[in-house]
């Protein structure tokens, strides 16, 4: 089992009147090589779940076993290591560093990994090529369209060739054609063995996943194939 | 992450955020330059005061003593008493002044008092001296053969007054350097005769310049500091034997004296002795006396200067603080942006330590460069201000420079590090949400 969470709660302002249970007792297992789509209404807790799965956030209660080890009692340094080596993130809002060029943004996780400058160049260009952005490597985020920024963000996520990719609405800002292109990239990566966790509003896109998890009010309400979930 | 990589990353960040980097540097440059210039100015002022004091003569006691009946034996009694103190007192002279401003002539040249006061009055040691303007009318003093020595004048040409000049009432004079230059230009004044109020006086000597000859005496006011003006004023003088008092001041006896002591330690004891002595010979009902030292005044002046320096130090501290707040502001304004950046860096796998090291190097580089420019601007500013205010080459002291640079660079580094220290400890998702 690659990912295993048990009774995860994420509660904001616990005990106060403004208490929000973004995750309200979620248990989930994901195997290596799976392609999982997470769907649900806005505010249902999809991003919260991904942040916890990606070690960007810590659950209020519950356990999280990644690759057989408990993540909940890892040090900050070990978590940084996990984020760097194990997981590639594609954020809902791109999250590129504005002052850096496309090339430099994609290069960043490789620098933190300690990859040599020569290897880096090859890996960065390869990742940019894969998303069709190699000709824009010199551009800063402010000089690119939303879809182009999203593709650079994807290149950054795949540059280190992580075993897991987590994508939060990667097609949200794209037209259907580029959206489909991004989806194809994810599927191709999945073919190569990468585990994909994809959050989406778009039922059409979710339907391409072998497994679909539906969330509502912080709880998993359905988990299975397209037919089982009812798409 | 290796340190070389962190340096590269910091450099990249500095160049990628040119406006922010430039503003931070500007804060440091202004703060640092202001401190250097202010403190150097205060020190320059101190130097100028010291120069003035040494020109006025050191280890000098001025005595004023007179009796209603005008008896002349006070002078003789004082002279005899000072001889008794010869292991402490090295010189004694009457210190009279011709108040009537008689007309001085040599050949076609005439020195007459200005009809109206053209310069401002400067108070030095309680004595008002007029400064500036076209007026180079000299002060005329009445003294003996020790007058020059007591007042730190040295003979440049000819000889000083002699004991016999005074005793016999010879009509001779010694000229201050500026007065000699005015009356005689490049001719030799020795043994020439000038007239004062029509009375002939033979020039026996000329004193050396105390001030800068090139800045004396008719240079425009604004190129000279008042200290220089006061000093060149000292070169505009004529010394006559004290016995000449009978031709001037309505034949009133001289009631001012100057006593020169061997060292500054002798000042206070001699002042006390003189006071005791004078209170013994002058009945308060029939006269009065005073014993004073400019050196004592100088000590008080030194206190005032120290206070002024503390005041300027305060201003410097405030400008450093303002500069520091400027640095802090620009750093804090970008905290949100930087917090997001840190969130991104953490999310893609940066360790806390790499982020802190990167920000540390970045802040140190910006502040280091800003600090160098600040020192440069401070030096140039000090040179300009030194030239304008003191007419000297004024250079900031290395201690002040290093101290101020250290403080402003430290401020920049601390506040440059602030977002990194704060945000690198957050959960990435919290840092990413910053707004
Ligand atoms: N920092 C926070 N403080 C309080 N409540 C929060 C916080 N972050 C998220 N929430 C709440 O948690 C719930 C889940 O948010 P989340 O971002 O996971 O939704 P989502 O499913 O990703 O929505 P969307 O599809 O719009 O992105 C929401 O109701 C949200 O208001
Ligand atoms: Mg979301």
């Amino acid at each position: 089992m690659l990912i295993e969470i048990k009774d995860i709660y994420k509660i904001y302002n616990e005990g106060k009147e403004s208490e929000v249970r973004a995750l309200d007792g979620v248990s989930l297992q994901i195997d290596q090589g799976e392609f999982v789509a997470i769907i649900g209404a806005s505010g249902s807790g999809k991003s919260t779940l991904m942040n916890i799965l990606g070690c960007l956030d810590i659950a209020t209660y519950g356990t999280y076993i990644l690759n057989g080890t408990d993540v909940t009692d890892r040090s900050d340094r070990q978590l940084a290591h996990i984020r760097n080596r194990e997981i590639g993130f594609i954020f809902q809002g791109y999250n590129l560093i504005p002052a850096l060029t496309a090339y430099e943004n994609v290069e960043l996780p490789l620098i933190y990994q300690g990859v040599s400058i020569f290897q880096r160049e090859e890996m960065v260009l390869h990742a940019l090529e894969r998303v069709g952005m190699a000709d824009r490597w010199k551009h800063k985020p402010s000089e690119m369209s939303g879809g182009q920024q999203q593709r650079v963000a994807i290149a950054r996520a795949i540059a280190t060739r992580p075993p897991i990719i987590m994508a939060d609405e990667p097609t949200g800002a794209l037209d259907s054609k580029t959206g489909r292109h991004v989806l194809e990239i994810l599927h191709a990566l999945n073919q190569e063995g990468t585990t994909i966790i994809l959050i989406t509003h778009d039922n059409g896109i979710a339907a391409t996943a072998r497994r679909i998890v539906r969330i509502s009010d912080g709880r998993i309400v359905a988990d299975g194939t397209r037919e089982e979930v009812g798409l | 992450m290796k340190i070389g990589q962190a340096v590269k990353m910091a450099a990249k960040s500095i160049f990628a955020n040119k406006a922010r980097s430039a503003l931070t540097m500007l804060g440091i440059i202004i703060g640092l330059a202001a401190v250097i210039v202010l403190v150097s100015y205060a020190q320059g002022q101190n130097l100028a005061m010291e120069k003035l004091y040494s020109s006025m003569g050191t280890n000098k006691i001025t005595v004023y003593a007179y009796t209603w009946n005008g008896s002349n034996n006070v002078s003789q009694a004082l002279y005899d008493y000072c001889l008794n103190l010869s292991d402490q007192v090295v010189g004694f002279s009457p210190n009279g002044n011709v108040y009537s401003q008689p007309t001085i002539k040599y050949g076609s040249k005439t020195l007459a008092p200005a009809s109206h006061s053209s310069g401002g009055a400067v108070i030095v040691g309680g004595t008002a001296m007029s400064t500036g303007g076209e007026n180079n009318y000299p002060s005329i003093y009445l003294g003996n053969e020790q007058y020059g020595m007591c007042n730190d004048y040295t003979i440049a040409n000819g000889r000083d007054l002699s004991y016999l000049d005074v005793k016999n009432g010879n009509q001779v004079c010694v000229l201050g350097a500026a007065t000699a230059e005015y009356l005689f230009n490049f001719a030799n004044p020795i043994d020439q005769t000038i007239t004062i109020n029509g009375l002939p006086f033979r020039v026996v000597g000329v004193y050396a310049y105390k001030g800068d000859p090139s800045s004396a005496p008719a240079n425009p006011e604004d190129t000279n500091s008042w200290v220089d003006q006061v000093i060149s004023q000292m070169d505009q003088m004529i010394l006559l034997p004290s016995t000449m008092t009978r031709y001037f001041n309505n034949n009133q006896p001289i009631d001012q004296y100057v006593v020169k002591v061997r060292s500054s330690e002798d000042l206070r004891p001699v002042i006390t002795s003189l006071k005791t002595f004078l209170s013994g010979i002058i009945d308060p009902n029939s006269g009065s006396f005073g014993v004073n030292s400019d050196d004592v005044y100088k000590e008080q002046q030194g206190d005032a200067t120290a206070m002024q320096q503390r005041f300027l130090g305060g201003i410097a501290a405030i400008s450093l603080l303002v500069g520091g707040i400027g640095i802090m502001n620009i750093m804090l304004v970008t905290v949100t942006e930087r917090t997001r950046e840190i969130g991104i860096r953490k999310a893609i796998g940066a360790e806390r330590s790499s982020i802190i090291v990167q920000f540390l190097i970045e802040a140190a580089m910006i502040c280091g460069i800003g600090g160098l420019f600040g020192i440069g601007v401070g030096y140039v500013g000090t040179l300009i201000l030194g030239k304008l205010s003191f007419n000297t080459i004024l250079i900031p002291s290395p201690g002040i420079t290093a101290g101020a640079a250290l403080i402003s660079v430290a401020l920049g580094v601390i506040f440059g590090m602030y977002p990194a220290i704060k945000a690198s400890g957050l959960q990435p998702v919290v840092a990413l949400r910053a707004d």
Side-chain angles (χ1 to χ4, degrees):
Chain A
M1 198 61 56
L2 181 64
I3 287 172
E4 185 172 7
I5 56 172
K6 221 185 273 169
D7 288 328
I8 289 281
Y9 290 83
K10 182 70 192 181
I11 306 172
Y12 293 107
N13 310 324
E14 192 176 10
K16 296 195 193 122
E17 220 176 306
S18 56
E19 180 178 291
V20 178
R21 294 183 166 229
L23 293 178
D24 195 9
V26 174
S27 298
L28 183 69
Q29 297 185 335
I30 298 173
D31 261 328
Q32 199 178 328
E34 274 197 274
F35 193 119
V36 183
I38 297 176
I39 57 170
S42 180
S44 56
K46 305 182 295 293
S47 294
T48 308
L49 177 60
M50 194 195 89
N51 289 337
I52 286 169
L53 290 176
C55 303
L56 297 174
D57 204 357
I58 286 180
T60 317
Y61 306 109
T63 50
Y64 175 14
I65 315 269
L66 177 67
N67 261 333
T69 56
D70 196 338
V71 165
T72 27
D73 48 39
R74 287 291 147 126
S75 71
D76 190 76
R77 197 191 163 121
Q78 287 169 317
L79 288 176
H81 198 263
I82 291 172
R83 289 192 292 266
N84 188 226
R85 308 269 168 149
E86 308 292 331
I87 304 164
F89 290 102
I90 304 165
F91 298 95
Q92 201 165 1
Y94 324 135
N95 278 336
L96 298 172
I97 294 180
L100 301 183
T101 63
Y103 184 96
E104 290 163 343
N105 267 289
V106 176
E107 190 186 24
L108 222 44
L110 296 166
I111 291 176
Y112 289 124
Q113 208 173 80
V115 177
S116 80
I117 187 160
F118 309 105
Q119 270 179 297
R120 277 205 312 260
E121 183 172 343
E122 193 211 312
M123 292 167 88
V124 171
L125 290 177
H126 183 258
L128 282 170
E129 252 158 45
R130 190 139 196 188
V131 296
M133 288 295 294
D135 55 334
R136 296 292 170 95
W137 65 276
K138 255 182 154 169
H139 289 231
K140 291 195 174 172
S142 57
E143 300 157 359
M144 289 184 275
S145 74
Q148 288 170 329
Q149 291 180 56
Q150 185 66 298
R151 284 192 280 166
V152 173
I154 295 169
R156 181 179 63 189
I158 64 178
T160 55
R161 300 182 188 141
I164 309 167
I165 284 186
M166 301 188 181
D168 194 350
E169 305 271 11
T171 58
L174 308 183
D175 63 79
S176 57
K177 185 166 160 265
T178 7
R180 226 173 303 123
H181 178 64
V182 166
L183 195 62
E184 275 163 23
I185 296 170
L186 292 177
H187 275 288
L189 288 165
N190 184 240
Q191 295 289 303
E192 294 159 21
T194 310
T195 308
I196 309 281
I197 300 172
L198 168 68
I199 292 174
T200 182
H201 269 122
D202 186 329
N203 286 346
I205 285 174
T208 66
R210 249 171 293 141
R211 179 180 170 194
I212 298 166
V213 174
R214 188 195 288 277
I215 294 192
S216 176
D217 286 336
R219 288 202 178 91
I220 294 181
V221 291
D223 183 353
T225 61
R226 191 179 147 192
E227 291 77 22
E228 287 166 340
V229 170
L231 273 187
Chain B
M1 193 171 60
K2 289 186 201 77
I3 199 81
Q5 198 60 58
V7 171
K8 266 190 221 162
M9 212 175 254
K12 206 179 273 178
S13 185
I14 289 172
F15 285 110
N17 299 285
K18 287 188 192 71
R20 183 176 69 207
S21 309
L23 279 173
T24 312
M25 281 186 205
L26 196 66
I28 291 184
I29 291 170
I30 292 173
L32 187 52
V35 175
I36 291 176
V37 170
L38 278 171
V39 175
S40 303
Y41 181 81
Q43 291 181 329
Q45 201 154 38
N46 255 10
L47 284 179
M49 291 312 284
E50 269 165 33
K51 186 169 140 196
L52 174 63
Y53 292 147
S54 71
S55 301
M56 281 165 66
T58 49
N59 302 332
K60 221 168 85 177
I61 296 169
T62 51
V63 178
Y64 120 89
Y66 75 94
T67 50
W68 301 127
N69 57 20
S71 92
N72 215 11
N73 54 21
V74 174
S75 175
Q76 192 56 45
L78 260 176
Y79 185 79
D80 293 342
Y81 182 72
C82 286
L83 279 180
N84 281 340
L85 295 173
S86 63
D87 52 339
Q88 288 168 305
V89 172
V90 294
F92 172 85
S93 170
N95 198 18
N97 210 324
V98 174
Y99 302 107
S100 51
Q101 299 199 314
T103 303
I104 300 153
K105 278 188 174 159
Y106 171 73
S108 60
K109 293 245 174 104
T110 302
L111 275 168
S115 52
H116 55 90
S117 166
S118 56
V122 172
I123 311 293
V124 180
T127 317
M129 302 189 181
S130 71
T131 65
E134 293 297 316
N135 185 13
N136 40 27
Y137 186 80
S139 307
I140 303 174
Y141 295 108
L142 298 159
N144 65 14
E145 71 283 0
Q146 292 174 4
Y147 178 92
M149 187 266 276
C150 288
N151 288 292
D152 285 24
Y153 282 102
T154 51
I155 282 288
N157 192 3
R159 64 169 178 86
D160 212 330
L161 291 184
S162 71
Y163 172 73
L164 286 176
D165 288 335
V166 180
K167 184 166 179 274
N168 300 340
N170 294 339
Q171 282 178 237
V172 294
C173 66
V174 179
L175 303 180
T179 302
E181 193 176 313
Y182 178 79
L183 288 174
F184 295 96
N185 260 329
F186 297 104
N188 185 5
I190 305 301
D191 287 335
Q192 302 297 314
T193 301
I194 62 169
T195 62
I196 302 174
N197 247 7
L199 285 171
F201 285 88
R202 187 167 57 89
V203 179
V204 295
V206 177
Y207 287 126
Y209 268 107
K210 281 194 179 213
D212 177 6
S214 65
S215 68
N219 271 9
E221 216 172 317
D222 50 312
T223 59
N224 276 324
S225 73
W226 67 266
V227 167
D228 285 332
Q229 287 180 34
V230 169
I231 293 174
S232 33
Q233 201 84 30
M234 295 175 191
D235 292 321
Q236 295 176 35
M237 58 87 79
I238 297 174
L239 175 65
L240 307 178
S242 56
T243 38
M244 292 296 111
T245 189
R246 63 173 173 261
Y247 297 121
F248 304 103
N249 296 344
N250 301 323
N251 195 21
Q252 288 188 1
I254 295 169
D255 51 22
Q256 308 253 17
Y257 307 90
V258 56
V259 176
K260 178 112 167 162
V261 295
R262 198 186 44 195
S263 76
S264 58
E265 279 99 73
D266 297 322
L267 281 169
R268 285 176 195 278
V270 172
I271 288 173
T272 314
S273 310
L274 284 170
K275 278 183 179 164
T276 315
F277 171 70
L278 285 168
S279 66
I281 62 163
I282 294 177
D283 177 1
N285 293 320
S286 66
S288 81
F289 68 91
V291 182
N292 250 309
S293 168
D294 281 344
D295 297 75
V296 174
Y297 164 78
K298 274 179 237 168
E299 275 171 35
Q300 293 163 358
Q301 189 67 26
D303 290 348
T305 312
M307 211 171 79
Q308 190 183 25
Q309 230 165 356
R310 274 199 293 276
F311 175 70
L312 274 166
I315 293 178
I318 290 169
S319 48
L320 202 56
L321 188 74
V322 171
I325 290 172
I327 297 165
M328 193 167 88
N329 255 1
I330 184 68
M331 293 298 194
L332 292 185
V333 162
T334 58
V335 155
T336 302
E337 183 194 325
R338 304 232 81 181
T339 302
R340 285 186 63 92
E341 178 190 331
I342 290 165
I344 295 169
R345 288 179 184 272
K346 283 202 78 171
I348 60 177
E351 286 172 23
R352 186 170 192 193
S353 60
S354 350
I355 289 170
I356 290 179
V357 167
Q358 182 208 321
F359 273 63
L360 171 69
I361 294 172
E362 198 180 312
M365 279 166 83
I366 290 184
C367 299
I369 296 168
L372 285 180
F373 276 110
I375 290 173
V377 172
Y379 267 66
V380 171
T382 303
L383 282 174
I384 293 172
L385 198 66
K387 186 72 198 153
L388 292 183
S389 309
F390 308 117
N391 198 20
T392 62
I393 294 172
L394 188 62
I395 288 173
S397 89
I400 297 296
T401 307
L406 214 68
I407 291 174
S408 49
V409 166
L411 277 175
V413 169
I414 289 166
F415 289 108
M417 295 272 299
Y418 173 76
I421 289 169
K422 211 177 128 221
S424 62
L426 296 174
Q427 286 300 322
V429 70
V430 178
L432 281 171
R433 249 198 314 256
D435 55 24

